[in-house]
Amino acid sequence: MRRAALALAFTLVLGASPSLAQDAPAPPAEDPAVVESTLRGLIDDAAGDERRDLVRRLAQHLETQWQWLPAASLWRELRRADGHADDAMGEGRALLGFAEDVLRSGGMGGGIRAAFEDARLALGRAKEMGAASVDVEIGLARCAAAQGDPDRQIAVLDAAAERWPKEAQISRQRAFAYQNAGQFERAVELFQGLVEATPDEVLLHRALSYSARMAGDEETAVSAAGQAIALAPKTGAPWKSLWDVFAGGRRFGELTDAMTPLAERFPASAPGAYYTGYAAQYARRFDLSLTWLRRAWENDGTYHAARIAAASILRFEKRDREGAAALYRDVLAAQPDDMQAISGLADIAVRLGDERKHAEAIPYFAEVANALPDDGRVHANLALALRWTGSYDKAVAAYEQAVEASPDDAQIRNDFGLLLLVMKNDERATEVFKAANEVDPLHNDGLENLGFMARERGDMSAAREWFEMAWKAAIDRDHEGQIARHRRNADDVRWPLPPLR
């Protein structure tokens, strides 16, 4: 009775579905766990050929679920019992799947090599038992590649190509094997045959371009990259293949000349416009570059790399900071955490500050602070710009945000204290300088400022104490220039005591 029930369950799970009317709902997807438990239940009650068939089905099912080692164990059981080549092949296939998993998971190198060695031995055993197939040879070649043995990989594939000269998988694997082994001239020959047989595959044209470039055959490299672009003009990888032909030698003028007609041929291609604009930028053809970069983001509004590149030209070549800032803002409107755009605005602000255009710098510093609310340094930069324009109350608020964002940054606290001194708020300045020393006992700027404050109010004993603490902190920090300075400060207030040694 128990076996009959299990058999019925097996039919429902794995067997063909009964005929359904066209408007009937589709049956639910098979639950892999149910399939596995059903098969295991059937195996427990089966014997002979029936059991072997069920074990084989379970092994196949486990492979579909990437349960490679349990599957390999079942195949091994079948191989040892019957000595069938197909079962040996199943074991090798499952062990190869496990090895690929180990590789993907980032395991240790020894573990990866061991896993592929197990797979190689299993596949070799299957071959000895008569499992002669393309899959066996490709598996053995894969093991050789993963174990860092390109010569063995090529030898396996060359022998397989002689046996199956028209097998596309073997031909493809051979071409990439020669490429990976650095035998580029042979790889070019093989890829040329592949692109003739499969002219519409972008990857093959790109591989041919790469091998030809590495073999020194620039004409073929350019032609193959152009073919890849023609097949997929709206994807970036083919354009990158053409870029690589010229960029290594910094031949950006030639690159621009090669890309421009292709970009004109495919005017709706955002990558084509971007790469052409980028090439023209390196070739110092800035007006042409700006034209193509603009077309890139007009073709695809998400192509922010083109805006970043155009902003760089506007800043450094056209001296158009406002135009550059507008592009950075466009990027940040879509990607508020884009660090290239944030850094661009920050650099504009810093340069304006260096030019003593502090009022002009403030809006840029504010934008950067809004973009990076948890970065105390950017709030401190804003605070400093506000200080230079006399906006002391706003500067205090900015410094308070800076301290909150970066509470362990003693330099921010020190700079805040200097502002408070300017505002004649000595009591709070003293608190801030002391807090700077608390978060970093070796930060001596705050100690020095406390010494100056004490000396100014005539408290030479306190001044000597602060200056000597600053001197000792400089020694502990091993800052030679500061050691001498702080010693002079201390000696100035030590009289009539002898100078520090």
Side-chain angles (χ1 to χ4, degrees), residues 286-309:
F286 298 117
D287 291 333
L288 178 64
S289 177
L290 289 171
T291 297
W292 281 110
L293 291 171
R294 177 174 293 279
R295 183 174 295 182
W297 74 71
E298 287 175 347
N299 286 339
D300 182 351
T302 67
Y303 226 98
H304 301 307
R307 290 187 174 92
I308 296 294

Side-chain angles (χ1 to χ4, degrees), residues 190-201 204-206 208:
L190 295 172
F191 279 122
Q192 284 176 326
L194 288 171
V195 297
E196 289 175 5
T198 314
D200 295 334
E201 188 170 348
L204 293 178
H205 288 283
R206 291 189 61 228
L208 172 57

Side-chain angles (χ1 to χ4, degrees), residues 42-301:
L42 290 170
I43 289 170
D44 288 342
D45 292 320
D49 290 342
E50 180 185 7
R51 185 181 187 282
R52 283 191 289 273
D53 182 61
L54 290 169
V55 170
R56 190 169 288 110
R57 291 180 183 227
L58 177 57
Q60 292 167 341
H61 170 71
L62 292 175
E63 285 188 59
T64 67
Q65 302 306 305
W66 289 23
Q67 296 188 49
W68 304 114
L69 290 183
S73 179
L74 293 173
W75 287 118
R76 189 178 303 112
E77 174 189 333
L78 292 168
R79 171 180 62 79
R80 288 173 174 171
D82 300 323
H84 288 168
D86 289 346
D87 297 332
M89 179 59 194
E91 181 185 0
R93 182 176 59 242
L95 288 174
L96 183 58
F98 173 71
E100 296 287 6
D101 268 0
V102 173
L103 178 63
R104 278 190 294 268
S105 68
M108 299 295 290
I112 293 171
R113 287 190 294 272
F116 277 100
E117 180 63 11
D118 288 343
R120 183 189 72 81
L121 292 172
L123 290 167
R125 186 185 302 114
K127 185 175 180 179
E128 291 174 359
M129 294 171 64
S133 71
V134 170
D135 289 340
V136 171
E137 304 304 327
I138 288 179
L140 289 169
R142 174 64 185 131
C143 291
Q147 292 176 312
D149 191 343
D151 292 338
R152 175 158 55 91
Q153 179 191 15
I154 288 172
V156 169
L157 292 170
D158 281 348
E162 291 184 8
R163 184 166 186 177
W164 294 286
K166 296 183 179 180
E167 178 55 53
Q169 275 188 291
I170 295 293
S171 299
R172 186 187 187 94
Q173 294 284 335
R174 283 181 80 208
F176 281 104
Y178 275 100
Q179 183 183 77
N180 293 338
Q183 300 185 39
F184 296 112
E185 292 184 2
R186 181 64 175 133
V188 167
E189 296 176 15
L190 295 172
F191 279 122
Q192 284 176 326
L194 288 171
V195 297
E196 289 175 5
T198 314
D200 295 334
E201 188 170 348
V202 175
L203 178 61
L204 293 178
H205 288 283
R206 291 189 61 228
L208 172 57
S209 179
Y210 172 77
S211 285
R213 171 167 64 87
M214 299 304 291
D217 184 353
E218 186 171 294
E219 182 179 353
T220 298
V222 171
S223 175
Q227 290 295 321
I229 289 170
L231 289 169
K234 292 188 176 182
T235 58
W239 296 92
K240 178 65 165 54
S241 291
L242 183 55
W243 173 282
D244 289 340
V245 175
F246 297 93
R250 303 192 65 79
R251 296 156 54 198
F252 293 110
E254 295 174 66
L255 175 60
T256 304
D257 292 340
M259 282 192 162
T260 299
L262 286 166
E264 291 173 344
R265 180 181 170 190
F266 303 106
S269 169
Y274 170 70
Y275 272 100
T276 303
Y278 209 41
Q281 179 181 7
Y282 275 98
R284 303 193 64 77
R285 302 178 190 177
F286 298 117
D287 291 333
L288 178 64
S289 177
L290 289 171
T291 297
W292 281 110
L293 291 171
R294 177 174 293 279
R295 183 174 295 182
W297 74 71
E298 287 175 347
N299 286 339
D300 182 351

Side-chain angles (χ1 to χ4, degrees), residues 371-383:
L372 299 174
D374 298 327
D375 189 328
R377 287 287 174 174
V378 300
H379 290 287
N381 287 336
L382 171 60

